[in-house]
Amino acid sequence: MSDEFHKTVVDNIASGVYYVDRSRRITYWNRGAERITGYDAREVVGRHCYANILAHVDDAGNALCHGACPLAATISDGDQREADVWLRHRDGHRRPVRVRAAAIRDDAGRIVGAVEVFDDATALIEARADVAAARHVALTDPLTELANRRAFDEALAARIQKLLRHGWPFALLLADIDHFKALNDRHGHAAGDRALQVVAASLRDAARAGDLVCRWGGEEFAILVDGGGAASAAAAAERFRVMVARSVVVVDDARLRTTISLGVAVAGIGEAAPWLMGRADAALYAAKAGGRNAVVVSGASGPP
């Protein structure tokens, strides 16, 4: 088949295709490349691909044309490559593309250039964003915007495995809003919802890197705290307690104060989730029975 036939075929595929020689001078630019980039072949053929034409960058905005260029690397070692990058369209905006680079060799097997095939990845990016948004909805409590019980169950299972395999310690804190039913009965459910939001925000903002704060259900919250033993877990629980106690729930003209009680259980290696939850819940009950607005730490871990 003639070169003209091959050119006709490549010109009419949807993907962008361009060829470069060893110096990365563009020798061919198909119609797909024109459509995706906005550049006519007459504007780019004969120019070097690194001459600030498409100005490829990665997700972090790092320029690739004069550094980590997949096409240049393929010309250098002959290996095929794929990458997700962002090109600059002729009108100035950035467009995500999936690029694939392959070496072009002469009859003696020497690399004489390379071909890059690229496709608009906008639909893929949007699909990923839709999946991420759906997962966020599935794992988030709508009232407090905290992680929900499903997210907590996943995180707890992961931490139990990390403790078992790598010895990475963590503690479980269960927190309950004190006298929540009385607040609801006296001020109404809107006030109760607002109290839940204020407590949730105070807990979230008091958390450290690595902590996970979840709404467990009703007026109860579950917190996973990484690292340390009973003393550090108790200190974390005390920080959460104080921050909530010093917050204010504003409802109409009223400024209401609320407190939380917390039960703390440091996970034991091999301890099953139900035992850990049971110990934290028993400690929480002891904190409420002892007068509320308090922290109680559970004793030794339970059976696996």
Side-chain angles (χ1 to χ4, degrees), residues 36 38 54 62 84 123 126 155 174 218 226 273-274:
I36 295 172
L54 301 182
N62 300 310
D84 292 315
E126 291 175 348
L174 289 183
D226 286 337

Side-chain angles (χ1 to χ4, degrees), residues 265-271 275-276 279 298-304:
V266 177
I269 295 177
E271 183 176 18
W275 283 99
L276 180 63
R279 289 197 298 116
S298 173
S301 62

Side-chain angles (χ1 to χ4, degrees), residues 22 31 33 65-66 88 95 130 134 136 147 167 178 197 209 215 247-248 256 293 296:
R22 281 196 63 87
R31 292 174 185 167
C65 290
H66 295 282
R88 186 172 62 203
R95 170 168 288 177
D130 288 344
H136 175 76
D178 297 325
Q197 291 171 330
R215 185 181 179 194
S247 301
V248 175
L256 311 177
N293 191 24
V296 171

Side-chain angles (χ1 to χ4, degrees), residues 79-154:
D79 291 341
Q80 295 187 15
R81 285 176 171 79
E82 291 188 8
D84 292 315
V85 303
W86 296 75
L87 61 78
R88 186 172 62 203
H89 191 274
R90 192 177 190 280
D91 68 10
H93 75 273
R94 285 289 178 181
R95 170 168 288 177
V97 290
R98 165 65 63 87
V99 302
R100 297 174 296 282
I104 298 174
R105 300 177 185 270
D106 62 14
D107 293 340
R110 294 170 299 201
I111 297 173
V112 295
V115 55
E116 180 168 295
V117 180
F118 58 98
D119 293 284
D120 188 343
T122 302
L124 177 62
I125 296 293
E126 291 175 348
R128 288 174 178 170
D130 288 344
V131 170
R135 179 169 175 79
H136 175 76
V137 170
L139 299 178
T140 302
D141 174 61
L143 177 65
T144 64
E145 285 295 307
L146 294 179
N148 63 15
R149 188 163 180 166
R150 177 181 171 186
F152 170 84
D153 288 340
E154 290 183 6

Side-chain angles (χ1 to χ4, degrees), residues 198-227:
V198 169
V199 170
S202 296
L203 294 175
R204 182 185 61 240
D205 292 346
R208 302 284 175 84
D211 295 348
L212 179 67
V213 181
C214 307
R215 185 181 179 194
W216 176 250
E219 68 270 27
E220 197 167 37
F221 300 85
I223 307 168
L224 295 173
V225 177
D226 286 337

